[in-house]
Amino acid sequence: MTALLTKTVHALMRGLSGRSRTNWPTRNRATLRRWEEDLSNSLLETLRSAISVSDGLRCAFEEFCASTQPERGILISSGPLQVPPPPEPQLKILHTWPIQQEKAQIEMGGNRIDTHISLRAINEVRHQGEIGIFVYFPPQFPKHSAEACKRVIGTLVRTAAAMIEVDHRYRVLLRALPFDPLTHLPVWSLFKDRVERRFARLDHENLPATLMLVSFSGLLQAQHGAGAAEEAVEQIAHVRDAINFLQRAIRPTDLIGQLDRESYILWLDGGDRFASVERAELICKRRYLCSAGSNPLVSVKIGLVTREPQSHDTLETFFERARLALSIAHEENMDWYFAHENA
C-alpha cells in the first residue's frame, strides 16, 4: 500500500512550476532545532485540540505548509479515517497545498518533480490503511531545513496514526456498551431487556402499557470550522436538556431509552390510550427551553402504540408500529400520532 500511495502522489505532482524561493532564512543548527521543536509542538497542539483526528490532521498539515511554504503538498490516506471502515481500502486525498490548486496544474505532464526536494512521511494505521504527507520544495531549499521538516511531518503522522488507532478501539468498546456513555441512558438492547421483564407482571395485573417514540428535530446541527469543538460541547448540553425535559414528563417508574442523540423511546406502565395521548399532548405543547446559551428552534414529534394485557406481540412489533406512527406524524405535520395495536 505504501508503494501505491507514493506512485499516486508522484502522478499528481508532475509538472511543478520550478519556482525557486530565495527568501528562506538561513538558520544555524541551534536556531533550527528550536524552530523544529516549536513547529512540532504547535502542530501537535493543533492536532490534539481539533474536534476529530481527521480534522486536526488537515489543520496541522495546512499550518505546516503555511509555515514552511512548499511548492506543493498533499495529505493522503489509503484508509477511511472513520469507524466503521468500509470493506475495501480507499485512496483518498484529504488536503492539498496550495489550498486553491488549479486542476490544470495538477494534471500537467513532465518530470520536473525529479529536480525538487521531496519529503514524505507514511505511517500504517492499524485496521485503517495508511496515511501520508508528501511535500515538495525547490532545489535551493536548505538541506538542514529539509531534514528538520522531514522529522516534523514524521512526528505528526506517527502521532495522528496512534490517535486514530486509539479512537478506533474506543469506539469499538462504546458500540459494545448497553448504554450511551454521554447520557447514561440504555440503548435498545438493554431497554428491550428491561421492558420484556415487565410483561409478565403487566399481564398478571391486567394492566396496559404504552410505547412512545419521541423525536427532536433540530436538536443538533452539523458544525464545521474552528469553533466546532465549542459548539459541539454546547450541543451536548442541548441533548442533556432534552433528556431532562422527557424525564420530567414521565413517572420515576417509567423507562426511557435512547436510539440516537435526537430520538428517544419511552415505556409507560399502566398507560392506556387516553392517558398516553394526554401525556403526548403535554410533551408536545411544553416549550423546549435550553439552558445552554440561546434557545434553538426544536420541534417534537411522537409516535405511540399501546400494549393491551395478554398481548402475544413482541416488543419489536410494538416498536415498528410506533416508528410507523412517528413517520405519519412527520408526514402529516402532526405533533403525535397513535397507532392501534392491531394496525
Side-chain angles (χ1 to χ4, degrees):
M1 191 63 70
T2 299
L4 176 61
L5 278 177
T6 304
K7 183 178 179 181
T8 302
V9 170
H10 279 291
L12 287 170
M13 295 302 163
R14 287 174 184 165
L16 286 173
S17 61
R19 300 186 311 270
S20 62
R21 288 184 56 90
T22 58
N23 59 341
W24 251 90
T26 302
R27 298 183 173 96
N28 57 43
R29 291 184 179 272
T31 303
L32 188 60
R33 281 196 299 269
R34 288 195 299 271
W35 173 85
E36 177 184 344
E37 181 179 351
D38 291 343
L39 179 58
S40 183
N41 290 338
S42 178
L43 297 183
L44 294 181
E45 176 61 24
T46 299
L47 176 66
R48 186 195 65 82
S49 60
I51 194 170
S52 68
V53 181
S54 56
D55 286 345
L57 188 55
R58 292 186 186 96
C59 293
F61 170 75
E62 186 175 325
E63 181 180 340
F64 170 83
C65 291
S67 176
T68 60
Q69 291 294 311
E71 287 203 352
R72 192 73 55 86
I74 187 169
L75 171 62
I76 197 168
S77 167
S78 65
L81 300 189
Q82 65 187 31
V83 177
E88 297 181 358
Q90 298 178 344
L91 196 60
K92 182 179 180 182
I93 297 176
L94 302 178
H95 206 19
T96 58
W97 179 271
I99 299 175
Q100 300 295 334
Q101 287 192 26
E102 294 183 5
K103 185 176 181 182
Q105 288 184 323
I106 295 179
E107 295 180 349
M108 285 174 62
N111 296 313
R112 294 293 299 277
I113 191 171
D114 296 332
T115 66
H116 285 66
I117 297 176
S118 171
L119 305 180
R120 70 177 187 177
I122 304 175
N123 207 92
E124 180 182 359
V125 184
R126 193 176 293 112
H127 311 300
Q128 299 278 315
E130 292 175 331
I131 54 174
I133 291 178
F134 296 77
V135 287
Y136 296 87
F137 292 94
Q140 298 83 2
F141 191 75
K143 179 181 178 181
H144 294 305
S145 296
E147 293 173 352
C149 288
K150 186 173 183 178
R151 289 191 293 268
V152 168
I153 61 175
T155 300
L156 175 62
V157 169
R158 287 192 300 273
T159 305
M163 292 175 66
I164 293 169
E165 291 178 4
V166 171
D167 183 68
H168 172 80
R169 295 170 186 168
Y170 177 71
R171 291 176 183 271
V172 168
L173 291 174
L174 290 184
R175 290 199 302 273
L177 291 176
F179 58 89
D180 185 278
L182 174 64
T183 64
H184 300 157
L185 292 178
V187 297
W188 171 250
S189 59
L190 181 58
F191 179 85
K192 176 177 177 290
D193 180 64
R194 290 179 176 178
V195 170
E196 288 177 340
R197 292 178 185 178
R198 301 187 175 201
F199 283 0
R201 179 181 59 83
L202 292 170
D203 291 341
H204 178 73
E205 298 178 3
N206 201 37
L207 291 175
T210 294
L211 184 70
M212 188 180 296
L213 191 56
V214 183
S215 173
F216 290 91
S217 299
L219 186 63
L220 300 178
Q221 302 291 335
Q223 302 294 339
H224 305 282
E230 292 77 9
E231 291 170 353
V233 171
E234 182 175 330
Q235 291 190 16
I236 290 173
H238 294 176
V239 171
R240 288 173 174 161
D241 283 343
I243 295 171
N244 291 334
F245 170 72
L246 291 177
Q247 288 172 335
R248 290 193 301 268
I250 62 177
R251 298 169 301 180
T253 55
D254 295 329
L255 296 178
I256 178 171
Q258 179 172 320
L259 301 176
D260 57 49
R261 294 290 160 80
E262 290 189 312
S263 300
Y264 302 89
I265 187 167
L266 311 178
W267 180 263
L268 286 63
D269 281 346
D272 59 19
R273 301 179 184 183
F274 300 104
S276 302
V277 168
E278 189 175 314
R279 190 71 56 87
E281 286 278 6
L282 179 65
I283 292 175
C284 292
K285 288 184 177 179
R286 187 177 299 175
R287 290 291 177 261
Y288 177 80
L289 180 63
C290 178
S291 61
S294 59
N295 298 332
L297 297 176
V298 177
S299 64
V300 184
K301 303 293 183 184
I302 301 177
L304 306 95
V305 63
T306 295
R307 178 190 184 272
E308 299 296 341
Q310 314 305 325
S311 173
H312 298 291
D313 289 333
T314 64
L315 184 62
E316 287 87 348
T317 301
F318 289 110
F319 176 76
E320 289 301 324
R321 291 170 183 164
R323 187 163 63 176
L324 176 61
L326 178 62
S327 66
I328 294 175
H330 279 291
E331 292 173 3
E332 302 294 334
N333 196 26
M334 304 167 64
D335 289 340
W336 56 268
Y337 188 85
F338 185 89
H340 294 281
E341 185 180 5
N342 58 359

